[in-house]
C-alpha cells in the first residue's frame, strides 16, 4: 500500500486579482522509504504541492490519501493533530523557536505529543547526535550556523516519529558544502531510520542526491524519474 | 506546563528594553494609583478632622430627642464622674460640655436670631481653637458675665467691644430668658454659617440665664484617630442608657458624608481610567510581541501546535509582564 497517494490534485488561488492555477490534475504516489525530490523552476508549484501533502493547505479539487486515510476532508484541529503525529516538517528558514536551545526545540514537539520528560530528553539527545550536533545540544538557534539550524530542524522533524518528512527547499539558504552535508544526514536517516523524505529544491547539486526526481512545470508533472542513486542505495 | 511557562518567560525577555519599559510603566501607574488612593483617603480623614474640629466634634452625646427638637427642655444633667468616664474611654482626647439654644439678640433697632452657646472656655478652645479666632476684646473665662460674638453677626448688629446687647429667649421649662450683656470679644469664623450666628457665653452664666442650673444640651467628644470612631462610639454608647443619644459626625453632618462620597466616586472613576490605560499598555506590548512572531506562530502551527496553546503562551506572557510591573 502506498504511503501517499495524490489523486487529480488541482489548486487554484482565487483570492488574487487574477486567479492562479498552481497545480493541474497532479497524480502522484509516494512509497515508504523514498527519498524524493520535487523539482522545478520557481513558481512551478513545489511549495503548493508540499503544503497540500502536508495538510497546510487544501486542494481546490482532488484527494490526498495518507496511510489509507483521506485527509482532504479534515477540519482544522483534526488536521493539526494529524500533522503533529504523522508528518515531520523542515522549512526553508527560521524553523526553530529562538528562545529555546537545540534540545528544547527538539523536545518541544514531543511535549506537544504528550511524551514523558525522560523519553523526550533521551530522544532529543539521540537525534541531535544523529545529526552531528551532540556538542551543540544546549546552544540557542542564534548561536548556530544556518546548516546547524537546519539539522536541528531535521532532528525535530524526526522526533515526532512521523510517517514521512516534508522539507521545502531546506538547503535554499545554505552554501553547497553545508547543503551536501545536510543531504548526507537526511540520506543517512532515510537509510538507518527508514524515514521517508520528500524535499523540494531547484538546486542542481541537491537534485543529484535524490533517489527519485519529480519535476513540475507550470503546476503539472513534467517527468518522474528514478535515479541511479536509488540503485546505489538499494541493497 | 513548565515548558509553556519557560517559553512565555523567555519570549518576554527577547526584547529586554521593551519589556522593561512596559513593566516600568505598569509599575509607575500602579504606584501612582495607590498613592492617589491613599492621598485621597488621607485627605478625607483630614477633611473630617478639620470639619469636626470646627464645631461638632467626632461624637456628641445628647438627651434623647435633643437633636431633632433642639430645645433646652431636652437638656440633661450630667455629673462630673459621668463626664470623667467618657474622658477615660480609649482614643478620647477631649470632652467638652455645651448648653446650646437659639435666642433673639438685639442692639439698637436691629434684632437677629442667634445660636447662643454656653461653653467651658478652656475646653472649647482646646477643641475648636476658638481663642485664635478672637480678633478683638478678650477671651471668655469661666466666670465671665459677658459674650463673645461672631464678627459677621457683630457687623450686622453694628456692635463693638463694650457695647451691651439684649438676649431674649426661652429658658428651661418655658422660663423667659432675657438679659443685657456686654460684648467682651469678637470672633472671626471663616465659615459663614458660624460667622452670622454664633454667640458664646460661659457655661455657668448661660445655665443661670436659661434657668438650667447644672444642665447641658451637648457633650462634644474629640478622638485621636478618625478610624477609631466606631470603637469609641460603642464604648461611649455603653456609658449611657436609652434616655440618651450618642451620635457620630456622620449623623451630625450628613452633608459632609455626601460630599466625601461624591469625591470618592470621582476618585474611583479616575482609578478605573488609570487601570484601563495600564490595560491598554499591556495589551499594546503583547500585540507587538505577537505581531513580531507571526512567522514563528505559523511554523508552530505547521508542526502541530494547536492555536489555544499559542494563546495560552501569549496569555502567560501578558501575565508575566503585568506581574513584573507590580
Ligand atoms: N498564497 C498564494 N496566493 C496566490 N498565489 C500563490 C500563492 N502561493 C503561491 N501562489 C502562486 O502559485 C504558483 C506556484 O507557487 P509555488 O507553489 O510557491 O511555487 P514554487 O514553490 O515552485 O516556487 C505561483 O504562480 C505563485 O505565484
Ligand atoms: Mg517554494
Amino acid at each position: 500500500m502506498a504511503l501517499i497517494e495524490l489523486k487529480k490534485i488541482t489548486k487554484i488561488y482565487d483570492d488574487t486579482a487574477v486567479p492562479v492555477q498552481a497545480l493541474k490534475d497532479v497524480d502522484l504516489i509516494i512509497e515508504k522509504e523514498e527519498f524524493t525530490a520535487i523539482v522545478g523552476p520557481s513558481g512551478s508549484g513545489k511549495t503548493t504541492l508540499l503544503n497540500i501533502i502536508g495538510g497546510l493547505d487544501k486542494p481546490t479539487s482532488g484527494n490526498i490519501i495518507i496511510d489509507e486515510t483521506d485527509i482532504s476532508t479534515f477540519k482544522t484541529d483534526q488536521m493539526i493533530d494529524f500533522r503533529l503525529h504523522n508528518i515531520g516538517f523542515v522549512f526553508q528558514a527560521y524553523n526553530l523557536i529562538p528562545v529555546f536551545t537545540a534540545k528544547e526545540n527538539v523536545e518541544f514537539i514531543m511535549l506537544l505529543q504528550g511524551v514523558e520528560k525522560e523519553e523526550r530528553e533521551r530522544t532529543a539527545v539521540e537525534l541531535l547526535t544523529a545529526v552531528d550536533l551532540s556538542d551543540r545540544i544546549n546552544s540557542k538557534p542564534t548561536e548556530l550556523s544556518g546548516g546547524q539550524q537546519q539539522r536541528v530542524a531535521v532532528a525535530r522533524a524526526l522526533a515526532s516519529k512521523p510517517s514521512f518528512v516534508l522539507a521545502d527547499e531546506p538547503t535554499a539558504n545554505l552554501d553547497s558544502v553545508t547543503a551536501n552535508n545536510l543531504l548526507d544526514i537526511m540520506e543517512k536517516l532515510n537509510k538507518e531510520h527508514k524515514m521517508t523524505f520528500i524535499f523540494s529544491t531547484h538546486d542542481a547539486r541537491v537534485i543529484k542526491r535524490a533517489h527519485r526526481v519529480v519535476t513540475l512545470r507550470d503546476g503539472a508533472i513534467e517527468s518522474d524519474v528514478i535515479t541511479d542513486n536509488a540503485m546505489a542505495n538499494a541493497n | 506546563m513548565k515548558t509553556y511557562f519557560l517559553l512565555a518567560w523567555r519570549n518576554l525577555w527577547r526584547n529586554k528594553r521593551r519589556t522593561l519599559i512596559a513593566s516600568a510603566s505598569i509599575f509607575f501607574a500602579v504606584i501612582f494609583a495607590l498613592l492617589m488612593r491613599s492621598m485621597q483617603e488621607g485627605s478625607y480623614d483630614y477633611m473630617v478632622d478639620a470639619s469636626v474640629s470646627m464645631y461638632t466634634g467626632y461624637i456628641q452625646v445628647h438627651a434623647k430627642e435633643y437633636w431633632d427638637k433642639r430645645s433646652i427642655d431636652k437638656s440633661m444633667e450630667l455629673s462630673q464622674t459621668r463626664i470623667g468616664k467618657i474622658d477615660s474611654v480609649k482614643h478620647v482626647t477631649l470632652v467638652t460640655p455645651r448648653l446650646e439654644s437659639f435666642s433673639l439678640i438685639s442692639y439698637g433697632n436691629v434684632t437677629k436670631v442667634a445660636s447662643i452657646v454656653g461653653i467651658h472656655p478652656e475646653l472649647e478652645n482646646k477643641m475648636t481653637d476658638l481663642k485664635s479666632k478672637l480678633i478683638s476684646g478678650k477671651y471668655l473665662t469661666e466666670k465671665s458675665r459677658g459674650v463673645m460674638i461672631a464678627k459677621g453677626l457683630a457687623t450686622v448688629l453694628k456692635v463693638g467691644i463694650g457695647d451691651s446687647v439684649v438676649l431674649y429667649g426661652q429658658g428651661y421649662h418655658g422660663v423667659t430668658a432675657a438679659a443685657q450683656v456686654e460684648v467682651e470679644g469678637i470672633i472671626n469664623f471663616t465659615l459663614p454659617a458660624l460667622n452670622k450666628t454664633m454667640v458664646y457665653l460661659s457655661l455657668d452664666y448661660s445655665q443661670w440665664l436659661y434657668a438650667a442650673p447644672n444642665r447641658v444640651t451637648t457633650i462634644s467628644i474629640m478622638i485621636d484617630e478618625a478610624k477609631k470612631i466606631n470603637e469609641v462610639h460603642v464604648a461611649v454608647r455603653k456609658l449611657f442608657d436609652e434616655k440618651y443619644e450618642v451620635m457620630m459626625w456622620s449623623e451630625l453632618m450628613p452633608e459632609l458624608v455626601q460630599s466625601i462620597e461624591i469625591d470618592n466616586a470621582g476618585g474611583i472613576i479616575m482609578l478605573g481610567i488609570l487601570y484601563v490605560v495600564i490595560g491598554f499598555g499591556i495589551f499594546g506590548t503583547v500585540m507587538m510581541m505577537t505581531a513580531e512572531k507571526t512567522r514563528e506562530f505559523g511554523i508552530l502551527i505547521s508542526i502541530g501546535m494547536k492555536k489555544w496553546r499559542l494563546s495560552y503562551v501569549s496569555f502567560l506572557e501578558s501575565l508575566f509582564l503585568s506581574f513584573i510591573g507590580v
Side-chain angles (χ1 to χ4, degrees), chain B residues 281-295:
Chain B
I282 299 172
F283 183 64
T285 308
V286 172
M287 278 250 290
M288 270 164 68
M289 298 194 325
T290 310
E292 278 171 8
K293 288 186 300 196
T294 14
R295 209 204 128 74

Side-chain angles (χ1 to χ4, degrees), chain A residues 13 15-16 20 22 41-48 169:
Chain A
Y13 292 107
D15 50 353
T16 43
V20 181
S42 180
S44 56
K46 304 183 293 292
T47 298
T48 304
E169 310 224 22

Side-chain angles (χ1 to χ4, degrees), chain B residues 142-162:
Chain B
E142 281 182 61
K143 299 272 170 289
S144 291
R145 286 287 190 239
V147 296
M148 290 192 304
I149 180 167
K151 183 169 173 258
L153 187 57
T155 311
V156 177
L157 294 172
K158 302 193 184 70
V159 294
I161 302 296

Side-chain angles (χ1 to χ4, degrees), chain B residues 27-218:
Chain B
F27 172 77
F28 284 116
V30 169
I31 290 280
F32 180 68
L34 292 179
L35 215 67
M36 197 177 83
R37 274 314 277 172
S38 65
M39 258 168 61
Q40 205 171 24
E41 270 156 25
S43 84
Y44 296 147
D45 286 351
Y46 179 80
M47 222 162 108
V48 168
D49 197 69
S51 303
V52 302
S53 320
M54 210 106 75
Y55 189 74
T56 58
Y58 278 98
I59 293 175
Q60 286 190 358
V61 180
H62 318 122
K64 196 170 155 63
E65 294 183 348
Y66 171 75
W67 193 248
D68 273 348
K69 303 263 161 55
R70 302 293 173 105
S71 160
I72 207 159
D73 288 342
K74 300 288 178 191
S75 60
M76 57 196 172
E77 202 169 348
L78 288 185
S79 64
Q80 271 308 315
T81 38
R82 204 70 176 275
I83 292 175
K85 272 190 186 145
I86 304 174
D87 227 339
S88 56
V89 167
K90 204 169 165 215
H91 297 297
V92 168
T93 52
L94 201 80
V95 180
T96 184
R98 288 179 189 141
L99 182 67
E100 299 170 303
S101 78
F102 290 98
S103 296
L104 297 174
I105 181 168
S106 18
Y107 182 70
N109 49 17
V110 188
T111 299
K112 290 279 155 193
V113 177
S115 176
I116 315 292
V117 186
I119 58 167
H120 186 291
E122 281 318 307
L123 291 175
E124 191 70 24
N125 180 45
K126 273 194 196 145
M127 180 172 146
T128 63
D129 206 14
L130 196 57
K131 212 181 271 182
S132 71
K133 296 175 186 124
L134 188 75
I135 50 171
S136 61
K138 58 184 198 299
Y139 191 71
L140 289 181
T141 66
E142 281 182 61
K143 299 272 170 289
S144 291
R145 286 287 190 239
V147 296
M148 290 192 304
I149 180 167
K151 183 169 173 258
L153 187 57
T155 311
V156 177
L157 294 172
K158 302 193 184 70
V159 294
I161 302 296
D163 293 336
S164 285
V165 293
V166 173
L167 298 181
Y168 185 86
Q170 209 173 46
Y172 189 53
H173 286 327
V175 172
T176 300
Q180 194 171 26
V181 290
E182 192 184 314
V183 174
E184 289 186 353
I186 292 179
I187 288 179
N188 190 22
F189 287 104
T190 44
L191 208 68
L194 295 178
N195 214 24
K196 279 188 208 145
T197 56
M198 297 309 285
V199 174
Y200 287 101
L201 309 163
S202 72
L203 186 60
D204 276 356
Y205 186 54
S206 71
Q207 285 170 342
W208 172 82
L209 180 62
Y210 288 95
N214 299 322
R215 301 188 77 83
V216 296
T217 56
T218 308

Side-chain angles (χ1 to χ4, degrees), chain A residues 56 76-77 80-81 83-84 89 91 93-95 97-100 104 108-109 111-112 140 156, chain B residues 1-4 6-7 10-11 14 295-296 298-309:
Chain A
L56 296 173
T76 310
D77 265 12
I80 291 178
D81 247 0
R83 286 202 296 269
L84 177 61
F89 286 93
F91 300 95
Y94 309 111
N95 270 291
I97 303 173
V99 295
F100 276 172
E104 286 167 340
F108 191 68
I109 193 155
L111 176 89
L112 293 176
K140 293 255 177 79
R156 182 191 61 193
Chain B
M1 211 39 57
K2 220 179 91 207
T3 310
Y4 295 126
L6 203 67
L7 180 59
R10 292 205 193 145
N11 271 336
R14 260 200 236 182
R295 209 204 128 74
E296 211 174 304
I299 286 183
L300 288 173
I301 289 170
S302 303
I303 65 168
M305 189 166 180
K306 291 228 178 70
K307 288 189 175 118
W308 67 264
R309 285 192 162 134

